[in-house]
Amino acid sequence: MSPAAPASLQLRPAVESDLAAIHALYAVEVREHLATYEYDVPDLAEMHRRWRVIVDAGYPYLVAECGGAFAGYAYATSYRTRIGYRWTVENSVYIEPAFHGRGIGRALMLRLIDDCTALGFRQMVAVIGDGSNAASMALHERLGFKLAGVFHGLGRKHGRWLDTVQMLRPLGDGNFGEPDENVPGLK
């Protein structure tokens, strides 16, 4: 069972002034970990560009603060760019190591799921880099994601071939009924 998030936890849309903290957390992930298969840390200008593309397209991009300190972030974006995928989003969630195991990832994901459902999206995909990331897979499973597939040796980083896990969770009516044609997204 996941721990309850701290009472001082605040979730809100990310703003430009959050990008330095987002960049610093992501830089550690790129350099040291396997959640992303990116090799080179993008500079702050590139992180700003990526954030702007996501929010300008209408996708949610959230920040968690705990006791006034940056604790992590999560966002959703297009799973694929082809038009037939426009009702499917891919999530990303990153938590500061000092805040691991405190329910912050769960809180961010619940808010992201709610926001994406309210926007009319029908499916959410978790693409989990490094098939041995048990914590991420357990978090997603507790939130209703089901294993959709494992791509063995799909990526390579830090001198290792890595599996990529994809998990899927329906949003709203999922793949039943007619979807809203006016969902936000990349155009």
Side-chain angles (χ1 to χ4, degrees):
M1 182 166 166
S2 296
S8 64
L9 180 65
Q10 298 293 314
L11 304 179
R12 60 172 175 75
V15 295
E16 192 167 0
S17 61
D18 294 317
L19 292 175
I22 289 168
H23 176 260
L25 175 54
Y26 188 69
V28 172
E29 291 294 330
V30 170
R31 282 193 307 270
E32 299 175 17
H33 302 290
L34 303 171
T36 175
Y37 292 177
E38 204 160 359
Y39 282 23
D40 299 318
V41 175
D43 63 19
L44 186 55
E46 173 60 14
M47 291 300 287
H48 184 274
R49 187 197 67 75
R50 292 177 188 185
W51 168 75
R52 177 59 51 207
V53 165
I54 292 166
V55 298
D56 284 354
Y59 294 104
Y61 201 124
L62 306 170
V63 163
E65 290 182 334
C66 192
F70 173 80
Y73 69 101
Y75 63 89
T77 192
S78 177
Y79 172 66
R80 296 284 185 265
T81 57
R82 293 203 170 60
I83 192 75
Y85 291 112
R86 72 181 174 269
W87 297 279
T88 302
V89 291
E90 179 179 336
N91 76 73
S92 293
V93 59
Y94 295 94
I95 306 301
E96 284 285 355
F99 291 99
H100 284 183
R102 295 176 58 187
I104 295 168
R106 182 178 191 282
L108 276 166
M109 284 299 302
L110 286 170
R111 169 78 178 270
L112 195 64
I113 289 165
D114 287 348
D115 288 357
C116 287
T117 301
L119 290 167
F121 294 107
R122 294 297 195 88
Q123 303 283 348
M124 183 177 281
V125 177
V127 178
I128 300 170
D130 182 21
S132 66
N133 189 340
S136 183
M137 288 184 284
L139 168 66
H140 285 88
E141 186 174 24
R142 284 191 302 271
L143 296 174
F145 287 77
K146 303 288 185 217
L147 180 66
V150 178
F151 297 90
H152 299 284
L154 190 64
R156 186 168 172 82
K157 189 172 180 183
H158 300 310
R160 296 175 32 208
W161 287 106
L162 302 168
D163 296 345
T164 300
V165 174
Q166 290 201 9
M167 300 179 80
L168 180 67
R169 182 195 195 282
L171 303 175
D173 292 332
N175 61 334
F176 297 99
E178 292 299 312
D180 181 353
E181 292 292 327
N182 298 310
V183 294
L186 303 173
K187 307 284 190 261

